[in-house]
Amino acid sequence: AQTVTQSQPEMSVQEAETVTLSCTYDTSESDYYLFWYKQPPSRQMILVIRQEAYKQQNATENRFSVNFQKAAKSFSLKISDSQLGDAAMYFCAYRSGGGADGLTFGKGTHLIIQP
Amino acid sequence: DTAVSQTPKYLVTQMGNDKSIKCEQNLGHDTMYWYKQDSKKFLKIMFSYNNKELIINETVPNRFSPKSPDKAHLNLHINSLELGDSAVYFCASSPGLAGGNEQFFGPGTRLTVL
């Protein structure tokens, strides 16, 4: 079974600074996808960014980028120019390429933005 | 327009009762899911349906019974509610089963069992 580990229960960053959230995963599969989801206090789950395992290039979405290290099974999220609206729980998630087994989530990192 | 909706958003009930949570998506997706988020915010897949057929049933007690009357709806019925069932339940949908498909989540239903 796949596992996803987020070792930082909570992170704090000053507004406009850069923060990196860590995620590692364990799998024996070669075809899979990795995701970062954001859950603000409203509790709505919002997809932040997605990475295909077969792609070497790191995914980027505006201020959000990932550092995908396939051999190390590491998938960290970098948030640049942090904004107050970035304050939320961030969940790293894994899904097999076939997709039959749903998303496997890490335990989440609570991100605090200091004004 | 709401893409994935759930009713109710909040549900407070007594132990031993039976309750249902409804989910509807208007995205035309083939695949729908139920996830449970516990008090420590941990999210876990419970069920998934593809074209109204059950695909995943993750070691969930058989007091939980999903029903998909059509592709746009996936309801969750819970019998004999227990204190440990208190959680937030999320419905989600995706275009299909392929792993790279984005899953769109509903707003969640907070269930409190007293």
Side-chain angles (χ1 to χ4, degrees), chain B:
Chain B
D1 280 351
T2 304
V4 182
S5 59
Q6 295 179 227
T7 51
K9 286 201 170 70
Y10 297 92
L11 185 52
V12 180
T13 188
Q14 298 286 332
M15 233 173 18
N17 284 351
D18 303 338
K19 289 293 178 186
S20 292
I21 306 171
K22 295 187 176 181
C23 177
E24 177 181 2
Q25 54 95 2
N26 62 6
L27 298 167
H29 288 168
D30 287 339
T31 311
M32 296 184 73
Y33 313 81
W34 279 109
Y35 288 86
K36 178 181 179 180
Q37 185 173 41
D38 65 22
S39 58
K40 294 183 179 175
K41 303 278 191 183
F42 185 59
L43 278 148
K44 189 172 168 60
I45 182 79
M46 299 174 69
F47 302 101
S48 77
Y49 270 71
N50 191 56
N51 284 319
K52 301 194 300 175
E53 291 192 14
L54 179 66
I55 303 296
I56 301 169
N57 180 348
E58 286 285 325
T59 58
V60 176
N62 57 16
R63 298 183 295 103
F64 289 78
S65 52
K67 285 190 171 51
S68 182
D70 55 57
K71 283 199 314 183
H73 296 85
L74 180 62
N75 304 323
L76 184 65
H77 188 76
I78 316 170
N79 289 326
S80 304
L81 278 155
E82 300 177 357
L83 293 177
D85 297 332
S86 294
V88 179
Y89 292 85
F90 285 96
C91 178
S93 74
S94 67
L97 281 174
N101 285 328
E102 178 180 352
Q103 293 188 19
F104 293 80
F105 284 78
T109 296
R110 179 177 293 282
L111 170 65
T112 303
V113 182
L114 303 175

Side-chain angles (χ1 to χ4, degrees), chain A residues 10-17 82-84 87 111-115:
Chain A
E10 187 171 278
M11 292 282 285
S12 182
V13 64
Q14 291 288 125
E15 200 175 356
E17 297 291 306
S82 298
Q83 300 176 1
L84 293 177
L111 179 64
I112 298 167
I113 310 293
Q114 306 276 7

